Amino acid sequence: MVQMAVVEGVLERITYANEESGYTVARVDTGRGSGDLLTVVGSLLGAQPGESLRLEGRWGSHPQYGRQFTVENYTTVLPATVQGIRRYLGSGLIKGIGPRIADRITEHFGTDTLDVIESDPGRLIEVPGLGPKRTKLIGAAWEEQKAIKEVMVFLQGVGVSTSIAVRIYKKYGDASISVTRNQPYRLAADVWGIGFLTADRIAQAVGIPHDSPERVKAGLQYALSQSTDQGHCYLPEERLIADAVKLLQVDTGLVIDCLAELAAQEKEASGEGAAGVVREKVPGSEDGQPVTAVYLVPFHRAELSLAGQLKRLLGDGADRLAVFQDVDWDRALTWLAGRTGAQLAPEQRDAVRLALSSKVAVLTGGPGCGKSFTVRSVVELARAKGAKVVLAAPTGRAAKRLSELTGAEASTVHRLLELKPGGDAAYDKDRPLDADLVVVDEASMLDLLLANKLVKAVPPGAHLLLVGDVDQLPSVGAGEVLRDLLAPGSPVPAVRLTRIFRQAQQSGVVTNAHRINSGAQPITQGMTDFFLFAEEDTEEAGRLTVDVAARRIPAKFGLDPRRDVQVLAPMHRGPAGAGTLNGLLQQAITPARPDLPERRFGGRVFRVGDKVTQVRNNYEKGQNGVFNGTVGVVTGLDAVEQRLTVRTDEDEEVGYDFDELDELAHAYAVTIHRSQGSEYPAVVIPVTTGAWMMLQRNLLYTAVTRAKRLVVLVGSRKALGQAVRTVSAGRRCTALDHRLGM
């Protein structure tokens, strides 16, 4: 057996870290003076460059990297020499202290520096250039660092990553260890990034029994929460029980009893984060046969509310656009043609009349069918009659496009409603929007919760026009709102535009989008704006995708690879998945340079100039929150303040503390699901057999319709054939269409 050994040294840099497992590869200066750094591998969860560490582990050898030390566990040791203290403080570990301030502090206090910061931080004001504000900040940052370290030492035993330990501390402060030890399943509900599986691992480590009712209830809610992540508003009871038994490995009887307790709990629940579940008989989404649906409380309330609010709008006696009930339409449309310089096709006229005479209406259709021109016509006529028109879309890019199209201001739905921390909106039924007509573009992206908030805020008598392409992927969040509004028996009137205009017929992008949507193979020969680079090998296809996006398209079409070209992958994992492609695209477009600031976080490195996307809704950030899918570019990185700045596609500067960087992912490549509502001059789509399970018609159709000017497919003809042939499997579990038809 290999003998345990102890090594002491300063952590110089982390070359690789896996946020999930905590496995780290790092370089440590053992102070031997030779300048050689020791390679250390193992779990170094929470250790930061600049810290002095006492490492316990075993010596070994790697065939490629030579001698290395495998860490079993470690402790942080405060450095004792002035040089060590200076390096420790200057590492960016303590917010407010960078290398220059570290030099000044250690020059003034010498080896007493750390004692002063620990026990009498007020004395820092003696250091030239340090005012009371900065000294207070340093003292607070030191205390927080100590407290987080304590929490992390406790959590290390159950394999929780650094970033999650920081979040637990931010949520519970001094109560962190107590909550984690006594109520571990609370973490899954309260702390973003902790799911049931992590909480379950912690619960096991602190001795909570496998068949504890608390565990089973948390597991049931987790199974329902997972299903909402997959787009379902509810799960059939039998399926939920089967999923929970498989997940928890407990008796079916115990799961049934705990489900009954959760259903009873709902009676006392209130608010959007309400606990418990609701059971209700609804027609099944597949065959219409009755099923017992089990909902998480917020989704049940939202579905009931949305159906009720839509019926309220449709049946309201008041009409803020009453002027259009007896308007001379021939005259109005002649005036409109003079204004816009173009005649409306018959189905577009129907859509314009419907939007201005019906309280709620849906306009759908594919690319090149004139949805945009129809929307512009509706807005022109409404404004000509003095109506207050409010325009919105689910994403910043879509809102900007709507604004350019109509010449009027448009905002995201989140900004329009002024969503506040906790998800409540400033505008709702009691304080409606000041609008006669509300137009929402890219409505296929509206999930149940957001659609409910939006419709609640439409005032009595106002008109609501929802515009979108129902053949695209449904919303990332739960529900299929647009599809449910268009279902047979829905009381909501709709127009579907089907005629492709002559100008659009000349576009390979539009032509092939419609071919794909009808189940025909796209034409990839002889097009000037639609290409296929055939490559059967998935890894090679990934490399070719990067070459096309970063070099070939910019060289041939003069497009900016960061701003104008977007790689859209069917899935995140794999050699041609968004995760791998992001790393390769970053190397090609924003490579490391000595003068370019960067920050490593987990397995990712963020640099100034990086294209990034927000991966969770955060109501605390920005003016009205920053939402899942928001894209931006890193414009600043301050190692002293430990802060990174992103300019979003809504032209807002948003700051991220370094411990919040798991809210960001690189966006040189994104999954097709995440691209909804966005439009890009050029789109590159890897279509490989490695993504076989994801290849579906509406996925490929959505990707192609994101492009304004150019589509390049990279990959296998076989995979492309699979995508075109495969119609999306099954409907989501939702009962909105049933509630609307009641």
Side-chain angles (χ1 to χ4, degrees):
M1 187 174 159
V2 183
Q3 190 68 35
M4 284 285 274
V6 174
V7 169
E8 291 199 2
V10 175
L11 181 60
E12 283 291 326
R13 65 176 180 271
I14 292 171
T15 53
Y16 170 78
N18 184 313
E19 271 298 294
E20 298 294 315
S21 65
Y23 179 80
T24 306
V25 179
R27 306 279 278 160
V28 170
D29 183 354
T30 54
R32 294 212 175 98
S34 62
D36 287 346
L37 298 178
L38 170 67
T39 297
V40 171
V41 299
S43 181
L44 282 170
L45 221 50
Q48 299 285 351
E51 287 185 313
S52 294
L53 304 177
R54 185 174 189 276
L55 308 164
E56 287 182 36
R58 294 180 170 82
W59 289 101
S61 186
H62 187 280
Q64 192 175 342
Y65 304 111
R67 195 165 186 248
Q68 62 183 29
F69 190 76
T70 301
V71 182
E72 299 287 326
N73 52 64
Y74 79 91
T75 50
T76 307
V77 184
L78 290 178
T81 65
V82 171
Q83 187 189 354
I85 292 167
R86 183 184 291 129
R87 184 199 258 154
Y88 176 67
L89 288 180
S91 67
L93 183 70
I94 307 299
K95 194 184 262 193
I97 304 183
R100 280 183 309 145
I101 289 174
D103 286 349
R104 279 192 226 152
I105 296 172
T106 48
E107 220 167 90
H108 189 80
F109 294 115
T111 52
D112 295 335
T113 297
L114 299 181
D115 288 335
V116 169
I117 297 174
E118 169 77 41
S119 44
D120 196 2
R123 282 190 62 198
L124 288 169
I125 204 155
E126 297 170 19
V127 177
L130 279 192
K133 191 176 169 189
R134 179 61 66 94
T135 57
K136 197 174 170 190
L137 177 75
I138 292 169
W142 178 267
E143 284 303 313
E144 184 175 64
Q145 190 63 32
K146 260 176 38 190
I148 289 171
K149 268 281 182 283
E150 222 181 299
V151 173
M152 267 181 332
V153 167
F154 172 71
L155 291 174
Q156 215 172 343
V158 290
V160 175
S161 73
T162 317
S163 58
I164 285 176
V166 169
R167 275 213 219 99
I168 290 172
Y169 178 76
K170 281 191 169 176
K171 180 73 184 175
Y172 304 116
D174 295 340
S176 297
I177 291 175
S178 154
V179 170
T180 305
R181 184 177 279 131
N182 301 317
Q183 299 168 280
Y185 292 107
R186 253 184 82 184
L187 302 178
D190 293 354
V191 183
W192 179 76
I194 296 189
F196 171 79
L197 299 179
T198 303
D200 201 34
R201 201 166 64 226
I202 295 169
Q204 203 177 348
V206 298
I208 286 181
H210 184 72
D211 59 356
S212 149
E214 183 192 1
R215 176 175 183 262
V216 177
K217 284 188 218 169
L220 280 161
Q221 289 184 296
Y222 169 72
L224 279 174
S225 174
Q226 284 288 95
S227 75
T228 64
D229 288 346
Q230 290 155 13
H232 300 299
C233 298
Y234 68 81
L235 277 183
E237 186 175 43
E238 287 179 12
R239 183 166 150 196
L240 172 61
I241 291 167
D243 286 355
V245 168
K246 189 175 172 186
L247 169 75
L248 299 164
Q249 299 291 299
V250 294
D251 289 343
T252 305
L254 178 60
V255 171
I256 291 169
D257 290 347
C258 288
L259 183 55
E261 280 182 43
L262 278 174
Q265 205 176 316
E266 182 271 333
K267 304 289 184 277
E268 307 121 42
S270 64
E272 186 163 305
V277 300
V278 179
R279 287 195 291 198
E280 185 189 349
K281 277 263 192 282
V282 299
S285 55
E286 292 301 321
D287 53 10
Q289 292 300 310
V291 297
T292 301
V294 185
Y295 288 82
L296 289 171
V297 173
F299 293 91
H300 184 256
R301 289 184 181 166
E303 201 171 80
L304 278 176
S305 167
L306 177 56
Q309 298 294 343
L310 285 166
K311 288 197 271 195
R312 168 186 66 83
L313 285 176
L314 283 163
D316 202 297
D319 189 350
R320 286 171 171 243
L321 295 180
V323 66
F324 287 103
Q325 294 302 335
D326 49 12
V327 76
D328 181 339
W329 282 105
D330 287 339
R331 195 170 156 203
L333 294 171
T334 303
W335 173 86
L336 183 66
R339 176 98 175 160
T340 59
Q343 293 282 347
L344 289 167
E347 56 186 17
Q348 289 177 307
R349 286 185 200 173
D350 292 344
V352 169
R353 290 177 70 157
L354 185 67
L356 295 170
S357 56
S358 177
K359 305 282 178 48
V360 183
V362 172
L363 171 62
T364 189
C369 292
K371 280 199 310 291
S372 298
F373 186 64
T374 306
V375 170
R376 183 183 156 196
S377 302
V378 170
V379 172
E380 288 275 5
L381 280 172
R383 285 162 71 191
K385 294 292 187 184
K388 287 179 183 165
V389 181
V390 168
L391 305 168
T395 66
R397 280 180 182 239
K400 203 176 275 186
R401 197 169 67 237
L402 186 58
S403 184
E404 287 162 4
L405 167 74
T406 57
E409 192 183 336
S411 68
T412 63
V413 177
H414 298 97
R415 277 182 190 275
L416 175 68
L417 300 177
E418 292 180 19
L419 289 183
K420 296 179 289 196
D424 291 328
Y427 292 94
D428 57 21
K429 196 176 177 185
D430 299 324
R431 188 197 171 198
L433 296 162
D434 182 15
D436 302 318
L437 170 65
V438 178
V439 179
V440 183
D441 199 7
E442 294 288 355
S444 63
M445 288 186 70
L446 286 177
D447 61 46
L448 174 67
L449 298 181
L450 186 58
N452 179 44
K453 289 187 173 82
L454 171 71
V455 176
K456 259 190 210 172
V458 178
H463 289 224
L464 172 64
L465 174 62
L466 298 171
V467 183
D469 184 347
V470 75
D471 294 322
Q472 285 180 26
L473 289 168
S475 56
V476 174
E480 277 189 301
V481 174
L482 192 63
R483 191 175 294 279
D484 283 342
L485 296 187
L486 291 165
S490 166
V492 177
V495 170
R496 182 171 192 136
L497 303 179
T498 54
R499 178 187 153 194
I500 306 169
F501 286 89
R502 191 179 300 126
Q503 192 180 348
Q505 287 171 5
Q506 292 158 14
S507 156
V509 176
V510 171
T511 301
N512 280 328
H514 285 278
R515 285 181 67 86
I516 290 164
N517 199 30
S518 65
Q521 289 294 321
I523 300 162
T524 56
Q525 301 289 324
M527 293 276 182
T528 56
D529 61 353
F530 199 103
F531 302 90
L532 168 66
F533 283 71
E535 175 52 68
E536 291 302 318
D537 181 77
T538 300
E539 266 183 60
E540 275 305 314
R543 283 193 281 272
L544 183 54
T545 298
V546 172
D547 190 44
V548 166
R551 298 180 191 91
R552 297 194 196 193
I553 288 177
K556 184 171 172 63
F557 295 94
L559 295 174
D560 182 294
R562 188 183 286 107
R563 188 185 63 239
D564 301 328
V565 183
Q566 183 63 54
V567 173
L568 300 180
M571 57 197 287
H572 184 77
R573 294 202 173 113
T580 302
L581 294 178
N582 263 318
L584 296 171
L585 285 160
Q586 186 193 33
Q587 285 172 30
I589 297 168
T590 317
R593 296 198 318 260
D595 61 329
L596 191 67
E598 64 175 45
R599 170 72 182 185
R600 177 173 288 279
F601 186 92
R604 297 195 282 266
V605 178
F606 291 97
R607 299 188 182 115
V608 170
D610 267 339
K611 186 175 181 177
V612 292
T613 181
Q614 174 82 7
V615 296
R616 65 170 285 221
N617 288 346
N618 187 333
Y619 297 96
E620 312 283 346
K621 285 204 170 298
Q623 198 182 327
N624 291 115
V626 180
F627 299 93
N628 187 358
T630 300
V631 175
V633 173
V634 178
T635 52
L637 204 154
D638 187 329
V640 176
E641 297 302 327
Q642 298 189 17
R643 202 161 172 77
L644 177 147
T645 307
V646 173
R647 175 169 280 278
T648 70
D649 54 11
E650 292 177 59
D651 293 327
E652 185 179 13
E653 295 276 347
V654 179
Y656 293 81
D657 289 342
F658 283 172
D659 60 24
E660 298 176 313
L661 292 183
D662 52 355
E663 293 193 18
L664 290 175
H666 291 104
Y668 299 100
V670 297
T671 60
I672 296 166
H673 281 89
R674 293 188 72 81
S675 73
Q676 287 170 263
S678 293
E679 207 177 53
Y680 316 94
V683 160
V684 184
I685 311 163
V687 186
T688 67
T689 51
W692 196 255
M693 296 303 291
M694 293 296 292
L695 295 175
Q696 292 176 353
R697 188 182 298 170
N698 62 350
L699 189 85
L700 183 61
Y701 174 73
T702 300
V704 168
T705 56
R706 300 306 86 216
K708 280 195 281 193
R709 288 171 48 191
L710 175 69
V711 170
V712 181
L713 304 175
V714 180
S716 133
R717 291 184 194 279
K718 184 181 174 188
L720 179 58
Q722 165 76 359
V724 172
R725 279 192 307 274
T726 309
V727 179
S728 170
R731 289 286 310 273
R732 291 177 167 189
C733 293
T734 139
L736 178 62
D737 55 347
H738 159 66
R739 297 184 199 284
L740 282 169
M742 285 166 70

